[in-house]
Amino acid sequence: MWAAAVAKNLYQRTRTSTGVIPSLSRTLQPLAGPQTSSGRAAVATQTRSVSSLQPRRRKHKKAQKGRVPVRTGGSTRGNYIAFGEYGIRVKEGVRLSAETISAIHTMFRRKLKAIKDLKIWLRVFPDIPVTTKGTEVRMGKGKGAFDYWACRVPKGKIIFEMKGSGLNTELAKDAMRQAGFKLGVASEFVAASDLTRQPSKCDMPPTTIPFQQAK
């Protein structure tokens, strides 16, 4: 009883006239941060790290296995260079894991660390959850546990692009050659030109047969 009385007395002493505990009111105040020209607090932006490639949220935590899409209608989306000067294009459909993509990006940063103003673009993103089950497990008992994130890359799609002030064709081609070893499928080196750049809509209407170099 005496402990409850002491706690009640201490609680009444710490209350203010408005009935709010001072310590709690301090924790509810917004943190002081940088402000814009209008006086409002600037919104902090979050940068996605390549070492943790995964979607921020997903409606369902598991997904069906699915298949790598096969473009039968002549679509060439993602087959052209859009940002950099050099790229790597897969010749076969493949499912890439987030670990493989991160390993290729790390290899690029280490091999081309001497290049000034090096920029690397990732054209695919692993947003498909892949589940696995142990060996010699009987059928049933529900879907397996989540294992890693992956993405389905169709044939002819460009995966990485890069650009830099000191980056030449020889260095970029050697880096893409080493990246091809980690992909597990046949790939090719692509350099920016009039044939590999994305054509404008006036030059390539939807009814036109896609260019041969983009297939």
Side-chain angles (χ1 to χ4, degrees):
M1 296 296 295
W2 66 270
V6 173
K8 183 178 180 180
N9 187 16
L10 181 62
Y11 177 78
Q12 292 177 355
R13 288 183 180 179
T14 55
R15 292 179 63 88
T16 61
S17 59
T18 57
V20 181
I21 301 177
S23 60
L24 181 60
S25 63
R26 287 195 296 267
T27 58
L28 295 179
Q29 294 177 357
L31 299 178
Q35 297 182 353
T36 59
S37 58
S38 60
R40 298 180 179 180
V43 179
T45 57
Q46 183 179 4
T47 304
R48 185 76 62 89
S49 176
V50 182
S51 59
S52 59
L53 291 176
Q54 61 182 11
R56 290 190 176 93
R57 62 186 63 88
R58 184 179 171 85
K59 183 176 181 180
H60 304 287
K61 63 179 181 179
K62 296 181 182 180
Q64 295 181 345
K65 181 176 181 179
R67 295 291 184 272
V68 177
V70 179
R71 297 174 173 177
T72 58
S75 174
T76 59
R77 182 178 181 180
N79 294 10
Y80 294 94
I81 292 181
F83 305 100
E85 296 293 337
Y86 307 99
I88 181 171
R89 177 193 294 163
V90 294
K91 293 184 176 181
E92 305 173 13
V94 61
R95 188 175 70 174
L96 295 178
S97 63
E99 183 179 0
T100 301
I101 298 175
S102 300
I104 295 176
H105 183 269
T106 303
M107 185 271 298
F108 284 155
R109 301 296 298 181
R110 291 178 179 176
K111 185 174 181 61
L112 304 175
K113 61 181 179 180
I115 303 301
K116 185 178 180 181
D117 299 334
L118 177 65
K119 294 183 179 180
I120 302 175
W121 288 271
L122 177 62
R123 300 291 303 274
V124 296
F125 188 81
D127 58 347
I128 301 174
V130 179
T131 60
T132 57
K133 299 184 73 172
T135 58
E136 300 182 3
V137 177
R138 293 180 180 270
M139 297 179 63
K141 304 297 182 181
K143 194 171 178 64
F146 169 80
D147 191 12
Y148 60 92
W149 295 96
C151 61
R152 304 185 186 105
V153 183
K155 175 184 176 181
K157 190 176 182 65
I158 291 180
I159 302 177
F160 280 96
E161 294 184 21
M162 61 177 56
K163 179 181 180 181
S165 57
L167 184 62
N168 53 32
T169 306
E170 289 75 13
L171 289 176
K173 191 171 185 179
D174 186 45
M176 297 299 180
R177 178 185 62 83
Q178 295 187 17
F181 297 152
K182 300 179 181 296
L183 292 177
V185 295
S187 60
E188 61 180 351
F189 173 74
V190 181
S193 64
D194 295 339
L195 300 179
T196 58
R197 287 287 187 183
Q198 178 69 40
S200 59
K201 294 183 179 180
C202 61
D203 297 336
M204 184 179 176
T207 56
T208 305
I209 300 177
F211 292 128
Q212 184 68 26
Q213 68 275 1
K215 291 184 178 179

